[in-house]
Amino acid sequence: MRKIMASLDVGSDNVKLVVGEIVKKRLNILAVAESESFGVKNALVEDTNMLLEPLENVILKCEEVIGLKIKQMIVSVPAMNSDFQVVTGAVAINNEGNLIEGKDVIRVLQKAVKSSKTSTDMEYISLIPTSFSLDDDRIVKDPKGLTSKVLSVRGVMVSTPKQNVYPILSCLEQLGVDVLDITLSPIGDYFEFKNKEYDKEVGVVINVGDETTTVSVFNKGVLTNTSVTLLGGQNIDNDISFIYKVPIKTARELKEKFALGHSNNANASETIEVTDKNGNKVEVNQKEISEVVESRLQEILNLAKKEINHLTKKEISYIITTGG
């Protein structure tokens, strides 16, 4: 059996779908599609009817490439107002020789989830085990294949408001697609950059999106806290549009293709000519427009820095910045 998986990310700016195949424990990308997002504001779905079209677009594009019907997928949801709880659980091992099997690991994780205190408006997303304990007080990362009369677990349970999840599930249900699993976007961000050193330290991932910036704290590879601020790339577009009196589309093109994130690297003698909202020609200097971008970018990152101090009191070993 081929192990093919589809994963969906719904953002304020666009919808992305990636289809990959696991071959010899490696993920090979088979197809990638994206479509302009509609009905999404500040990373949350406001109009499911408007979202249906872009979702259908990315599914059809990937189906055309891989030659298969996509009936199931994993969905990445925004981290807005997510909750993180430390939970524990323990189960007896009744197998022959008290040998711990995969089903026992599932049982103890389910027991830990049931011990949590989650309000009715929250949806359980994931339980990230930090350690498993055996009879002799041994602490292990993976208990499968070991022996013990009792298996205990300690982990971080992640939940998020149902309004972050259900509208997307509703759209996919209308398109005939089942959701196999749900994850938070910051977890994917971390796994893109993770290494052995990061897995031993406390660090932060800052994702600057179109309308929001997400700050996430990881302790030894485990997501422990996150926050979302309502500032992103769109604010830079608005600044450029206001200062140069150009349409938003032109402002975005200037940001992506001409301006730099730091004015020190910009060329003061390099210019580009664009048309403003009144049809007049405007000459844009790279140094000057980069100062506009840098000013807003500094504001976004300074706010992110303040959020880090709210999210954790631990010493930070690394900061990763990413985003669309």
Side-chain angles (χ1 to χ4, degrees), residues 16-37:
K16 299 186 184 77
L17 181 65
V18 179
V19 181
E21 181 177 16
I22 300 293
V23 180
K24 296 181 179 179
K25 297 183 179 181
R26 291 178 62 89
L27 177 65
N28 297 324
I29 302 301
L30 302 180
V32 177
E34 66 176 83
S35 180
E36 186 178 354
S37 186

Side-chain angles (χ1 to χ4, degrees), residues 119-292:
S119 64
T120 56
D121 63 338
M122 301 291 283
E123 180 71 18
Y124 160 71
I125 296 294
S126 178
L127 173 60
I128 308 167
T130 55
S131 64
F132 293 91
S133 303
L134 309 181
D135 284 340
D136 52 7
D137 294 328
R138 273 187 298 161
I139 305 296
V140 298
K141 281 287 185 183
D142 185 357
K144 293 193 301 294
L146 303 178
T147 58
S148 179
K149 291 182 180 179
V150 176
L151 174 64
S152 304
V153 68
R154 179 182 176 87
V156 176
M157 197 194 88
V158 184
S159 56
T160 194
K162 290 181 177 179
Q163 66 174 10
N164 295 10
V165 181
Y166 280 27
I168 300 175
L169 301 189
S170 174
C171 289
L172 291 173
E173 184 179 5
Q174 291 183 59
L175 296 173
V177 177
D178 293 329
V179 175
L180 286 181
D181 203 358
I182 302 168
T183 185
L184 287 186
S185 301
I187 295 175
D189 290 337
Y190 177 78
F191 272 82
E192 171 65 21
F193 299 100
K194 68 171 289 194
N195 57 39
K196 291 181 180 179
E197 291 303 313
Y198 291 167
D199 282 345
K200 299 175 185 176
E201 300 168 338
V202 178
V204 171
V205 179
I206 300 172
N207 185 313
V208 183
D210 187 53
E211 293 182 328
T212 60
T213 295
T214 305
V215 180
S216 307
V217 177
F218 287 83
N219 187 346
K220 297 180 180 178
V222 176
L223 178 63
T224 58
N225 215 340
T226 187
S227 71
V228 179
T229 57
L230 300 181
L231 280 177
Q234 200 174 102
N235 296 93
I236 298 174
D237 300 344
N238 292 336
D239 291 343
I240 295 172
S241 174
F242 176 77
I243 290 171
Y244 294 100
K245 296 180 174 55
V246 296
I248 285 291
K249 184 179 179 181
T250 303
R252 181 166 182 165
E253 289 175 353
L254 285 169
K255 177 189 71 176
E256 294 179 351
K257 299 177 182 179
F258 186 64
L260 301 180
H262 201 300
S263 59
N264 284 358
N265 300 322
N267 187 344
S269 62
E270 188 169 347
T271 61
I272 187 173
E273 191 175 76
V274 295
T275 304
D276 68 12
K277 295 176 181 178
N278 298 319
N280 301 317
K281 296 294 182 181
V282 178
E283 191 175 79
V284 180
N285 178 283
Q286 189 181 63
K287 181 83 172 177
E288 292 173 356
I289 192 174
S290 296
E291 288 173 350
V292 174

Side-chain angles (χ1 to χ4, degrees), residues 85 87-89 106-118 124 126-127 153 157:
Q85 294 182 52
V87 294
T88 58
I106 293 173
R107 283 197 302 123
V108 76
L109 293 176
Q110 290 173 336
K111 192 71 174 288
V113 170
K114 289 178 181 177
S115 73
S116 67
K117 297 177 180 179
T118 306
Y124 160 71
S126 178
L127 173 60
V153 68
M157 197 194 88

Side-chain angles (χ1 to χ4, degrees), residues 34-87:
E34 66 176 83
S35 180
E36 186 178 354
S37 186
F38 298 105
V40 182
K41 180 70 175 175
N42 294 330
L44 299 178
V45 179
E46 290 189 339
D47 190 326
T48 54
N49 292 326
M50 292 180 68
L51 183 59
L52 282 172
E53 184 179 346
L55 287 177
E56 189 172 26
N57 284 342
V58 293
I59 292 171
L60 291 175
K61 287 176 183 176
C62 284
E63 287 179 342
E64 186 177 346
V65 172
I66 65 175
L68 297 169
K69 186 76 175 173
I70 296 174
K71 298 179 180 178
Q72 299 174 324
M73 64 176 61
I74 300 166
V75 174
S76 177
V77 299
M80 189 87 72
N81 299 319
S82 293
D83 182 61
F84 301 84
Q85 294 182 52
V86 175
V87 294

